[in-house]
Amino acid sequence: IKQNLNSCSDILVVMSQATKDSWWVPFEIGMSAQVDMPTASFLKSDVVLPSFNLLYRYTRLQQST
């Protein structure tokens, strides 16, 4: 993961029900923050984040009907 992140220019984070409890997502965000990598973070509207993910700023995505 570190090697692949180091070769990226930007990171896009989408927090969903499938990824909200992952410890890898905050790790990846932290890695990108260490090198000031541009990061776009989105939160699906139906997701409630665990406390360890509340340190990051997310744009809430509205679900289409």
Side-chain angles (χ1 to χ4, degrees), residues 41-49 58-63:
S41 301
F42 298 96
L43 177 64
K44 290 191 68 178
S45 62
D46 61 337
V47 175
V48 177
L49 291 177
Y58 295 92
T59 300
R60 191 168 287 277
L61 296 173
Q62 297 299 318
Q63 297 206 333

Side-chain angles (χ1 to χ4, degrees), residues 3-62:
Q3 183 178 354
N4 287 336
L5 279 173
N6 287 331
S7 67
C8 293
S9 61
D10 301 80
I11 186 170
L12 172 65
V13 179
V14 178
M15 294 300 277
S16 67
Q17 289 296 341
T19 61
K20 73 179 182 88
D21 294 318
S22 168
W23 284 92
W24 287 111
V25 175
F27 173 79
E28 293 162 346
I29 294 170
M31 287 284 300
S32 67
Q34 285 184 341
V35 294
D36 293 325
M37 183 183 299
T39 303
S41 301
F42 298 96
L43 177 64
K44 290 191 68 178
S45 62
D46 61 337
V47 175
V48 177
L49 291 177
S51 61
F52 67 86
N53 272 318
L54 296 176
L55 299 174
Y56 308 106
R57 184 176 303 162
Y58 295 92
T59 300
R60 191 168 287 277
L61 296 173
Q62 297 299 318

